[in-house]
Amino acid sequence: MALRNTPTERQLRLGAELRKLREAGGLTVNEAGDVIGMGRVHLTHVENGRTAISAERIRTLCRTYGVTSSTYTEALVNLAEASGKGWWSDYRRQLPASALDLAELETEATCLRSYESLFLPGLFQVKGYTHAIFEASDAVSTDEEIEAAVRFRNERQRILTGDRPPEVHAVIHEAALHMRFGGADIMHQQLLHLVELAELPYVTIQIMPFTAVAVSALTTPFCHLTSHNGALETVLMEHPARSAYLHGEDEVAKYRHQFARLSDAALPAIDAAVIPVRHAARDSLGLVQHILYTLQGASA
């Protein structure tokens, strides 16, 4: 079997997990390979995500490494057996691999927690807002590339209306609500859509106000994803040059804690069911409504 030149994030993750387990179990590559009848070089390629491994061998390695969680073991098997093909495959020649990796990861996610400082989360964006972002971006240049990127982001949003939607919790800095991508009319449409999404029972949206205390406004945006029945966690740091996927236990714990701090500091979540006059204190919905009022005046 030919070696993969560019492993996907899923394939790299499987290899990294198997290497982590082997090292924690105190086995060398030679010793672990002997257990499953695989040579040192072959197993090294597996741990680097460059070649496949069977489900039977994964289960054998997990038993050898002392893994006691069947949920975790089956999560690794799922990573190995997944075809990597989905709706995102149609964009393989149009968009970078990092975008396809994110779409594949989101389809397996059971929980997404994100923090955004200048943009609204991609899963929440209306078409006009997304189009304006890509028009101003250096990541795409031609009209065809822009349209492909917009369609791709729109298709990603289907996980919110699918049969098994993930739990989504977003903390959005107030600055993102004032950035006028597409102008006042588009932003008015976008903020109304934000309120509509918050009505979904599995979507929680909080706004971090400029007045928040003890939380840096410069905190780097990130997304924390939980997948495979909670067995795997990933933190995505998106950058123009290259997105970074973090899954080390210490790294994940750091961002899990960071998100909890951000959520505690943010305003109470948008709840369109609460009658405005009964709001006991300033909340996320009240702030969004205030900005909507300002946008109405700007577009009048």
Side-chain angles (χ1 to χ4, degrees):
M1 181 181 293
L3 296 178
R4 302 165 181 143
N5 292 321
T6 55
T8 66
E9 172 58 27
R10 171 180 53 80
Q11 293 161 346
L12 291 171
R13 177 66 184 275
L14 173 61
E17 292 293 322
L18 291 176
R19 181 170 57 252
K20 178 184 70 175
L21 291 174
R22 176 180 58 76
E23 292 174 348
L27 276 74
T28 66
V29 179
N30 284 330
E31 291 169 338
D34 288 342
V35 171
I36 57 174
M38 183 179 286
R40 177 183 62 81
V41 173
H42 192 172
L43 183 55
T44 298
H45 287 318
V46 168
E47 293 185 348
N48 289 329
R50 300 194 65 198
T51 193
I53 182 172
S54 69
E56 179 183 358
R57 280 173 161 168
I58 288 176
R59 293 189 178 102
T60 299
L61 285 176
C62 284
R63 288 193 297 270
T64 301
Y65 298 152
V67 176
T68 58
S69 171
S70 60
T71 301
Y72 176 66
T73 298
E74 292 310 305
L76 299 186
V77 169
N78 181 271
L79 291 180
E81 294 185 333
S83 69
K85 296 179 181 179
W87 63 264
W88 55 88
S89 301
D90 294 338
Y91 294 86
R92 197 170 301 280
R93 297 182 182 275
Q94 304 175 62
L95 297 177
S98 59
L100 310 183
D101 286 338
L102 174 58
E104 183 177 7
L105 181 57
E106 285 177 336
T107 61
E108 293 291 341
T110 53
C111 182
L112 293 90
R113 298 180 178 90
S114 69
Y115 170 70
E116 290 288 350
S117 57
L118 293 178
F119 302 95
L120 297 182
L123 294 179
F124 296 169
Q125 295 174 9
V126 298
K127 184 176 180 179
Y129 181 95
T130 304
H131 197 281
I133 288 176
F134 282 115
E135 278 191 322
S137 170
D138 293 329
V140 290
S141 55
T142 68
D143 290 341
E144 291 77 12
E145 289 174 340
I146 292 173
E147 290 303 322
V150 172
R151 286 197 308 272
F152 181 82
R153 185 161 294 181
N154 186 253
E155 289 202 60
R156 280 177 50 209
Q157 297 171 3
R158 292 188 300 181
I159 64 170
L160 297 179
T161 55
D163 295 333
R164 297 181 296 108
E167 175 189 337
V168 180
H169 186 171
V171 175
I172 305 169
H173 198 280
E174 181 181 350
L177 307 186
H178 292 278
M179 299 290 288
R180 296 192 181 183
F181 292 105
D185 289 340
I186 292 296
M187 285 306 301
H188 187 270
Q189 177 188 356
Q190 176 64 77
L191 295 186
L192 286 177
H193 184 58
L194 203 65
V195 176
E196 292 171 355
L197 288 173
E199 295 178 0
L200 297 172
Y202 45 86
V203 175
T204 301
I205 300 174
Q206 292 180 268
I207 307 301
M208 176 75 68
F210 286 122
T211 56
V213 177
V215 176
S216 172
L218 300 178
T219 298
T220 304
F222 64 91
C223 183
H224 170 234
L225 304 96
T226 302
S227 63
H228 299 85
N229 296 315
L232 300 177
E233 294 180 82
T234 304
V235 173
L236 168 62
M237 310 289 291
E238 290 192 87
H239 299 286
R242 181 181 180 184
S243 296
Y245 290 87
L246 312 177
H247 38 75
E249 292 181 11
D250 292 341
E251 294 171 319
V252 170
K254 171 186 173 182
Y255 283 98
R256 194 189 306 120
H257 174 69
Q258 177 75 335
F259 186 82
R261 289 183 62 241
L262 290 165
S263 179
D264 288 343
L267 297 172
I270 294 176
D271 186 354
V274 177
I275 300 173
V277 296
R278 294 182 180 174
H279 289 186
R282 190 185 186 209
D283 59 14
S284 294
L285 179 59
L287 180 53
V288 171
Q289 289 175 327
H290 173 72
I291 297 173
L292 279 168
Y293 179 80
T294 303
L295 290 170
Q296 284 180 322
S299 61

